[in-house]
Amino acid sequence: MIRIRSAFATLVFCLAPWTAHAAEPAPPKQHFVDMEQGQRLRLDMFEPQTGSAPRPAIVLFHGGGWSVGEASWIHPTARLLAEQGMVAISVEYRLSDQKTVTPFDAVADARAAIRWVRANAAELGVDPARVAAGGISAGGHLAASTAVFDEPGGASMSARPDLLVLWSPAVAVANDGWFTRLSGGPAQAAALSPDRHVRAGLPPAILLQGAEDSVTPAAGAARFCDRMRQAGNVCELVIYPAVGHLFTRNLQQQEEPDYKAIDMAIDADADRKAIAFLQQHGFITKPRAP
C-alpha cells in the first residue's frame, strides 16, 4: 500500500540533482492550451538538434504528490530525451488544493496535453502515431492514467499514448490515505487507480522502480505490470535492489528525499533502460549514451 501522506507534497522539489546530465542549454519553447473555465495549460517543448520531422514525441509529467511542483522539475528528463531525437514536452498541470482541484483535474490536463500534441503534430514536426507519455512518481500516475482510463465522450482526438515510461510511479493508489483525501474519498481513489483498470489493448510500458520504495512501493508496480501481461499487453518491470523512492539509498528519508543519497549509477542505468525500451519500440533510432 502506498504511504503518501501530506509530507509527500514535498517530494521532488528539485529534480535537477537527480536527473541533470549536462550544462543548462537553451530554454524550451512554451505553448499554451486553452481549457474550460478560463484555465490555460502550459507546455514546455524541447526539440532535438538533429534528425528530420516527423519525430516521435514524449509528454512528461513531474512528481510532487499531485499537490506541488512545476513543469521545470522534469526538464532534465525532457532534455535527455530530446538529445535522443525525440520532441520532449513537460506539462504544467493543475495541482490539487484539497478544495476544488483534484487529481481528476490533473488527469484531464494530461489528456488535454496529449490531444494537443496530436492535433498540432504537423506544426510541431511530430509523428502523431508515436506519442509516448512519461512521468515520475505522481507524474507516473498521470501518464499511466492517460493510457488506462477510457476517453470521455465527444473527444475528437485520442489522448491515449503509444508507449509509457514510468519512474517510481504511483500506479496503485486505491488504498492510499493522501490520494484518497485529494481525490474525494475511497470510491474516487479506486476509480482513479491504474492497477485496478488494466485491460487488453494498452500501450507498451516500462516501470523503473526501487525495491525498498516506501512511497510508491514495488508491490504496486509489480501488480500493475502483472495485470498488464495477463491482459496481453507489453510491460517491462525493472526493480533495483536496496534503493527506495527515486533510487535513494537513504531508506529512512524517502518522503522528503535526500538527493545526495540518490544512487547515480542506478539512475544512469534506469536512463539507459528507458532509452533502450524506446528504441525497441521505434521511438529512438540512434541512441546516444546518457
Side-chain angles (χ1 to χ4, degrees), residues 72-117:
S72 65
W73 286 7
I74 204 166
H75 281 184
T77 303
R79 293 188 183 102
L80 171 67
L81 295 174
E83 290 171 0
Q84 300 297 327
M86 302 184 72
V87 175
I89 299 165
S90 61
V91 180
E92 186 92 341
Y93 58 85
R94 281 175 287 175
L95 301 174
S96 298
D97 60 6
Q98 301 187 56
K99 295 178 183 177
T100 60
V101 180
T102 75
F104 286 89
D105 298 303
V107 171
D109 290 350
R111 289 183 186 280
I114 294 174
R115 285 197 198 96
W116 183 88
V117 170

Side-chain angles (χ1 to χ4, degrees), residues 226-279:
D226 286 345
R227 291 176 178 175
M228 284 280 284
R229 294 178 188 132
Q230 290 166 10
N233 304 312
V234 173
C235 193
E236 182 175 330
L237 175 62
V238 183
I239 296 183
Y240 293 98
V243 293
H245 198 60
L246 310 183
F247 312 136
T248 183
R249 290 282 180 185
N250 186 346
L251 302 182
Q252 286 68 51
Q253 188 178 332
Q254 295 192 49
E255 292 187 352
E256 298 181 25
D258 175 3
Y259 289 101
K260 294 180 180 179
I262 297 299
D263 189 313
M264 299 309 293
I266 287 178
D267 173 60
D269 187 74
D271 286 343
R272 288 191 293 268
K273 284 186 167 57
I275 290 167
F277 190 78
L278 287 159
Q279 181 186 17

Side-chain angles (χ1 to χ4, degrees), residues 22-33:
E24 186 76 10
K29 294 181 180 178
Q30 290 189 344
H31 298 274
F32 294 89
V33 181

Side-chain angles (χ1 to χ4, degrees), residues 19-264:
T19 56
H21 293 272
E24 186 76 10
K29 294 181 180 178
Q30 290 189 344
H31 298 274
F32 294 89
V33 181
D34 290 325
M35 305 284 286
E36 296 178 359
Q37 300 176 343
Q39 299 285 342
R40 298 194 83 197
L41 182 65
R42 196 187 90 215
L43 310 179
D44 294 348
M45 186 174 78
F46 296 84
E47 297 178 285
Q49 299 301 307
T50 59
S52 58
R55 300 180 175 95
I58 186 164
V59 183
L60 295 164
F61 306 98
H62 65 81
W66 302 272
S67 60
V68 297
E70 57 187 56
S72 65
W73 286 7
I74 204 166
H75 281 184
T77 303
R79 293 188 183 102
L80 171 67
L81 295 174
E83 290 171 0
Q84 300 297 327
M86 302 184 72
V87 175
I89 299 165
S90 61
V91 180
E92 186 92 341
Y93 58 85
R94 281 175 287 175
L95 301 174
S96 298
D97 60 6
Q98 301 187 56
K99 295 178 183 177
T100 60
V101 180
T102 75
F104 286 89
D105 298 303
V107 171
D109 290 350
R111 289 183 186 280
I114 294 174
R115 285 197 198 96
W116 183 88
V117 170
R118 282 213 175 96
N120 293 275
E123 176 186 344
L124 300 174
V126 164
D127 180 353
R130 289 187 296 165
V131 178
I136 296 170
S137 196
H141 169 266
L142 300 184
S145 293
T146 65
V148 169
F149 297 111
D150 289 330
E151 291 276 23
S156 59
M157 186 72 63
S158 174
R160 183 166 294 163
D162 301 297
L163 183 140
L164 293 171
V165 183
L166 310 175
W167 293 266
S168 300
V171 289
V173 293
N175 297 315
D176 173 68
W178 175 240
F179 187 82
T180 298
R181 179 178 176 182
L182 291 179
S183 59
Q188 291 88 338
L192 206 56
S193 188
D195 68 315
R196 297 281 185 101
H197 302 276
V198 170
R199 61 187 183 281
L202 299 184
I206 184 170
L207 285 69
L208 302 148
Q209 172 75 43
E212 304 302 323
D213 195 326
S214 62
V215 179
T216 58
R223 183 164 59 251
F224 175 84
C225 222
D226 286 345
R227 291 176 178 175
M228 284 280 284
R229 294 178 188 132
Q230 290 166 10
N233 304 312
V234 173
C235 193
E236 182 175 330
L237 175 62
V238 183
I239 296 183
Y240 293 98
V243 293
H245 198 60
L246 310 183
F247 312 136
T248 183
R249 290 282 180 185
N250 186 346
L251 302 182
Q252 286 68 51
Q253 188 178 332
Q254 295 192 49
E255 292 187 352
E256 298 181 25
D258 175 3
Y259 289 101
K260 294 180 180 179
I262 297 299
D263 189 313
M264 299 309 293

